Amino acid sequence: QVRLVESGGGYVQAGGSLRLSCAASGSISSIDVMSWYRQAPGQQRELVASISSGGGTNYANSVKGRFTISRDDAKKTVGLAMNSLRPEDTAVYYCNADLRLTSSRGIYRYWGQGTQVTVSS
């Protein structure tokens, strides 16, 4: 069974830092793009950052210069270092990965269960 499991969310004051991590497990042959999304109450889920298999990164304008995405293919993990956090960063953060499986052809998109990040003012 293929799973993505996030960790590292929590409560922090404005200006603080948190680091999220997401680990993929199961019958995975390789991982293409890995991403972090977030969804605040009453709002649509939005892309926060993504990283390709070659290491290319993409960030939402609202987090550029404050968040850093990274990946470790040997461990099948993706991380999100979040600095200078703001109350508007409060949301549930979801890990997302495009996976190639050992059991079938094609690329499959998987989501983690989400982890809450709360930033107080």
Side-chain angles (χ1 to χ4, degrees):
Q1 182 180 4
V2 177
R3 297 178 63 196
L4 297 180
V5 178
E6 300 104 336
S7 61
Y11 180 94
V12 66
Q13 289 189 332
S17 300
L18 282 174
R19 178 175 173 80
L20 305 182
S21 183
C22 173
S25 62
S27 301
I28 300 167
S29 61
S30 67
I31 304 176
D32 287 3
V33 178
M34 305 185 84
S35 306
W36 288 96
Y37 284 73
R38 67 186 181 187
Q39 186 167 20
Q43 298 190 19
Q44 291 188 331
R45 192 171 296 188
E46 63 172 357
L47 176 66
V48 175
S50 63
I51 183 167
S52 70
S53 56
T57 57
N58 180 52
Y59 295 93
N61 286 335
S62 59
V63 307
K64 281 181 181 177
R66 301 188 297 122
F67 290 12
T68 303
I69 189 171
S70 60
R71 62 188 285 166
D72 184 331
D73 288 337
K75 296 181 179 178
K76 297 187 178 65
T77 60
V78 61
L80 186 69
M82 304 184 293
N83 299 311
S84 301
L85 283 161
R86 304 167 181 168
E88 54 264 38
D89 295 318
T90 296
V92 178
Y93 284 70
Y94 296 91
C95 171
N96 168 290
D98 293 335
L99 307 177
R100 297 178 188 270
L101 308 180
T102 59
S103 59
S104 58
R105 294 187 176 192
I107 301 173
Y108 299 87
R109 175 157 293 185
Y110 284 82
W111 291 88
Q113 80 286 356
T115 185
Q116 177 70 46
V117 171
T118 302
V119 185
S120 66
S121 58

